[in-house]
Amino acid sequence: MRLLLVEDEKKVASFIKKGLEEEGYAVDWASDGEAGLYMGLDTFYDLIILDVNLPVKSGLTVLKELRNQNITTPILLLTVRATIEDKVIGLDTGADDYLPKPFAFQELRARVRALLRRQSKTEAPVLQVADLTLDPARRIVSRGDQVIDLTAKEFALLDYLMRSKERVVTRTMIADHVWDGGFETTTNIIDVYVNYLRKKIDAGNEPKLIHTVRGVGYVLKAE
Ligand code: CA
């Protein structure tokens, strides 16, 4: 699970980031609204925690722009202003939940869990490229009518490639998203995993879906 935290107060941000990382989430941090918007549009997140009072672009503007761009990721708003009007504006603009500051970490954690649970039950659309489908909620991958068994890492890698379909992803991007950047990207572990996936997804099937972009990385597409 990868979360985006958009929060300008460094102390609050590092407290939230650290706490959530201890819970096993990968957390990216943006310190202003513009950076947060850019990251929210660029990367698939399972959840976005968005402060309302932000420099450069306000949290509500970021929220509006993400929804305008059809980003349906659940969004939890953080704010010091907790009037009914503010809550209504936030929820009307497309936020999924609202947490007034200051809050106890346990409460944040409970809301994050609840939003992620709701998301995996209701949304989690099945990803499809040609006759390859990946169901994130049920964790089932199939090509045509054949179900494909993947390890957790292979599943995470394919999930990332399918969400990035038709876009070239570098080994560094793959390392960041699938391995959380936890190893030197000079190792060939990514190539090894891509080859495992190729054997399971592409061997004996047409069209080939996983393509190498020499010197750059990989792209998943149906041609
Ligand atoms: Ca703030």
Side-chain angles (χ1 to χ4, degrees), residues 75-148:
I75 295 179
L76 172 62
L77 284 183
L78 304 179
T79 185
V80 283
R81 301 178 304 168
T83 65
I84 297 294
E85 289 78 7
D86 281 342
K87 282 189 198 177
V88 169
I89 291 170
L91 296 173
D92 276 356
T93 311
D96 297 86
D97 202 358
Y98 203 97
L99 185 59
K101 287 176 176 175
F103 51 82
F105 181 76
Q106 286 86 329
E107 174 153 26
L108 175 73
R109 184 178 58 191
R111 296 208 185 199
V112 164
R113 279 189 189 152
L115 284 173
L116 289 171
R117 227 179 4 247
R118 201 196 296 168
Q119 168 80 350
S120 66
K121 260 188 213 146
T122 57
E123 301 255 340
V126 173
L127 306 173
Q128 179 154 23
V129 177
D131 59 348
L132 174 68
T133 58
L134 180 149
D135 182 338
R138 294 159 64 219
R139 300 191 73 82
I140 294 175
V141 172
S142 54
R143 179 109 200 226
D145 51 15
Q146 191 185 358
V147 173
I148 298 167

Side-chain angles (χ1 to χ4, degrees), residues 26-41:
V27 182
D28 290 346
W29 174 44
S31 61
D32 68 61
E34 193 164 276
L37 178 62
Y38 176 81
M39 290 164 79
L41 292 174

Side-chain angles (χ1 to χ4, degrees), residues 13 15 25 30-31 42 56 70-71 76 82 87-89 111 133-134 137 156 165 187 192-193 200-201 204 209 215:
F15 156 76
Y25 303 108
S31 61
D42 186 57
V56 193
N70 298 319
I71 303 290
L76 172 62
K87 282 189 198 177
V88 169
I89 291 170
R111 296 208 185 199
T133 58
L134 180 149
K165 69 174 175 183
T187 66
V192 169
Y193 270 91
K200 293 184 174 181
I201 302 295
L209 298 176

Side-chain angles (χ1 to χ4, degrees), residues 7-9 51-55 101:
E7 165 65 77
D8 57 312
E9 287 162 73
D51 187 29
V52 169
N53 296 317
L54 288 171
K101 287 176 176 175

